[in-house]
Amino acid sequence: MKAMVTGSPATLETLAFADRPDPGQPGAGEIRVRLHGSSLNYHDLGVVTGRMQGKPNGIALADGGGIVEAVGDGVAEFAVGDAVVSCFFPDWHDGAPTIGDFSRTPGDGIDGYATEAVVVPTTAFTHAPRGYDAVEAATITTAGLTAWRALVGDGGLKAGDVVLLLGTGGVSIWGLQIARAMGATVVITSSSGEKLERARDLGADHVVNYREVEAWGRAVRDWTGGRGVDHVLELGGAGTLANSIEAVRVGGHIALIGTVTGTAGDVPTAALMAKQARLQGLIVGSRRQQQDFVRAIDATGIKPIVDRRFPLDALPEAFRHQQSSAHFGKIGIEW
């Protein structure tokens, strides 16, 4: 069985196919899934380039979409032929977070889904949204669920709220689609005028080019009439947090999702205190939250934005496309 495996040392040049044993047939409480698609995340990029320490010579990619080929004894949730999608935290089923690292995340601490087939416990997958192909389904595992948890699970998003999204990558574009489907107003930032226009076409109500407007947090707050936004999907980290605090309303919610500008830096604590805002870190979500998200997708008909698709044997090229930051939404991998 072919699998795309990280090298030693982990670099895009050493990321390559390797032979792995077929996983065989499922045992009690397990399913065998034939995989057909994935999508790229910056977490994946960190692992395959060695910036993050994953399993040595591990199978890449946290997201996996496919079809159930066989079920083990006692399995009632899935049947042969079901379209399914993986969970980022296969051991976090419900309730409050139970893990603060990636030791059990596919494509990091354990083998991922850049392979032909897997045999796993049923709890490692959920049903895919209706009508989604494998690549589309795989976009919900990490990026989609992160946006869903930030806005709905943790943020309590409701119609009429105002949401600020940073950038036009997978999480932010999913956040745009979720927020618009639920009746919220959306503001989005980018350094690309072309990407901002694409965001407008998807329903963004206001756009800000942060290269042209340095004090974009104040500009966003002014656009709301001085009130501020209800929710911020903060993907930049220390380099953007001051502007996000400036933009949020008193008593609002900032979901700290990414650290694109760095993993440490100054936080304007007095401004955060004055805003009485909730700054909450999060990493993706639970299996139950993913099931809730799938139901919402089925109800609303949201379809993910896939920028470009690459075959599995072109995975290094796909990561280089990701590094260029030229993409809008998600990058798909299919086989």
Side-chain angles (χ1 to χ4, degrees):
M1 186 180 72
K2 293 291 187 183
M4 191 63 77
V5 175
T6 57
S8 297
T11 68
L12 291 185
E13 288 69 31
T14 60
L15 178 65
F17 273 126
D19 289 321
R20 290 294 177 93
D22 187 277
Q25 294 303 303
E30 295 181 330
I31 55 175
R32 177 184 169 102
V33 178
R34 175 64 59 173
L35 294 158
H36 295 291
S38 186
S39 71
L40 301 190
N41 306 289
Y42 279 101
H43 182 94
D44 297 311
L45 179 63
V47 174
V48 301
T49 58
R51 183 173 54 83
M52 301 181 69
Q53 184 62 54
K55 177 183 176 181
N57 303 117
I59 300 174
L61 302 184
D63 303 343
I67 303 294
V68 175
E69 286 191 317
V71 301
D73 290 342
V75 174
E77 184 176 358
F78 300 106
V80 173
D82 283 351
V84 293
V85 61
S86 63
C87 297
F88 187 88
F89 288 121
D91 305 317
W92 179 16
H93 302 158
D94 199 359
T98 58
I99 187 168
D101 60 30
F102 306 109
S103 60
R104 292 285 300 158
T105 295
D108 192 327
I110 61 176
D111 281 332
Y113 295 111
T115 187
E116 297 176 40
V118 293
V119 171
V120 291
T122 58
T123 49
F125 277 75
T126 70
H127 288 281
R130 289 195 299 267
Y132 274 30
D133 65 25
V135 169
E136 292 169 332
T139 68
I140 79 169
T141 298
T142 304
L145 184 56
T146 297
W148 173 262
R149 177 186 167 192
L151 291 174
V152 180
D154 293 346
L157 179 71
K158 61 185 183 299
D161 283 354
V162 182
V163 175
L164 170 61
L165 307 168
L166 274 57
T168 54
V171 175
S172 288
I173 297 305
W174 261 118
L176 168 58
Q177 294 178 283
I178 291 166
R180 293 299 297 156
M182 298 187 69
T185 296
V186 176
V187 185
I188 194 165
T189 71
S190 175
S191 61
S192 166
E194 179 183 354
K195 290 181 178 181
L196 290 174
E197 287 308 307
R198 292 185 67 182
R200 280 191 189 276
D201 290 342
L202 284 175
D205 299 277
H206 185 59
V207 300
V208 178
N209 189 316
Y210 62 79
R211 292 205 187 280
E212 298 175 357
V213 183
E214 183 176 355
W216 51 264
R218 179 176 299 177
V220 169
R221 190 190 65 187
D222 290 345
W223 182 78
T224 66
R227 176 180 180 272
V229 301
D230 298 283
H231 309 272
V232 182
L233 264 59
E234 170 54 76
L235 289 106
T240 54
L241 188 54
N243 270 303
S244 292
I245 292 171
E246 178 75 24
V248 78
R249 69 169 172 84
V250 173
H253 170 233
I254 302 172
L256 181 57
I257 295 167
T259 55
V260 174
T261 63
T263 57
D266 293 334
V267 176
T269 52
L272 180 63
M273 181 179 66
K275 284 293 182 77
Q276 302 178 68
R278 176 162 54 102
L279 174 62
Q280 181 173 354
L282 75 154
I283 304 173
V284 195
S286 69
R287 183 175 191 259
R288 174 62 63 188
Q289 288 172 322
Q290 182 161 304
Q291 290 171 317
D292 292 342
F293 183 33
V294 170
R295 281 193 292 272
I297 292 170
D298 288 342
T300 59
I302 298 173
K303 293 285 279 187
I305 304 302
V306 179
D307 174 84
R308 186 174 167 189
R309 297 179 184 227
F310 292 80
L312 185 57
D313 61 6
L315 187 57
E317 180 186 350
F319 277 120
R320 291 186 182 96
H321 180 57
Q322 184 183 34
Q323 286 178 317
S324 75
S325 297
H327 61 288
F328 181 92
K330 295 293 290 179
I331 300 170
I333 309 296
E334 58 186 353
W335 61 97

